[in-house]
Amino acid sequence: MLYKRTEYFRYTFGKPLEAEFRIVVENGTDVESSPGECHLIDISPGGAKLFTKFDIPLERESVRLHIKFTLYEKLIDLQGVIVWKKPYSGGYMYGYDFEEDVAIEQLIVEELKLRRRSEIDSVSATTED
């Protein structure tokens, strides 16, 4: 079996993670929309699946989003493009690919490690009581 280095692991949240998004208007001005609320369903160092009640139109060739969220302690602030859209439970699920940035990829991996360690420690603490 061949190993593809560009394939990422995917972390699925037990409870979707709150995030904020803005649509980036690509007309040379980098103007952004008002903020909207979304929830991250899962994440990898290269992208995420998110849910929002907003119907983001995908008629144009690509829609860029600016997203901010905190996995554990540090604010992660990045941009990327929507790659797919599906109606889901009173809103929409979107596939979102991040712009390639090694520093952001490393930050996501480190923050996920800390988050997971914290989750395991909290479960261990409650089972010991």
Side-chain angles (χ1 to χ4, degrees), residues 15 33 48 64 68 80 98 113 119:
K15 177 184 174 200
S33 70
R64 298 190 64 67
K68 294 180 184 180
F98 308 149
K113 285 179 184 177
E119 291 170 351

Side-chain angles (χ1 to χ4, degrees), residues 21-39:
F21 76 93
R22 293 174 187 259
I23 299 171
V24 179
V25 180
E26 291 191 331
N27 59 6
T29 62
D30 283 338
V31 173
E32 294 184 354
S33 70
S34 299
E37 180 183 305
C38 67
H39 292 88

Side-chain angles (χ1 to χ4, degrees), residues 57-110:
L58 298 182
E59 289 81 38
R60 302 184 329 203
E61 47 196 64
S62 70
V63 174
R64 298 190 64 67
L65 291 184
H66 179 186
I67 293 186
K68 294 180 184 180
F69 57 91
T70 303
L71 289 172
Y72 186 67
E73 290 179 335
K74 296 181 180 172
L75 178 69
I76 298 174
D77 186 337
L78 50 82
Q79 288 194 23
V81 294
I82 296 175
V83 292
W84 57 262
K85 169 184 175 179
K86 294 179 184 170
Y88 183 82
S89 186
Y92 298 87
M93 288 276 201
Y94 295 93
Y96 178 68
D97 280 350
F98 308 149
E99 287 181 349
E100 284 192 41
D101 182 331
V102 175
I104 291 288
E105 290 175 14
Q106 290 174 341
L107 177 60
I108 289 170
V109 170
E110 291 306 313

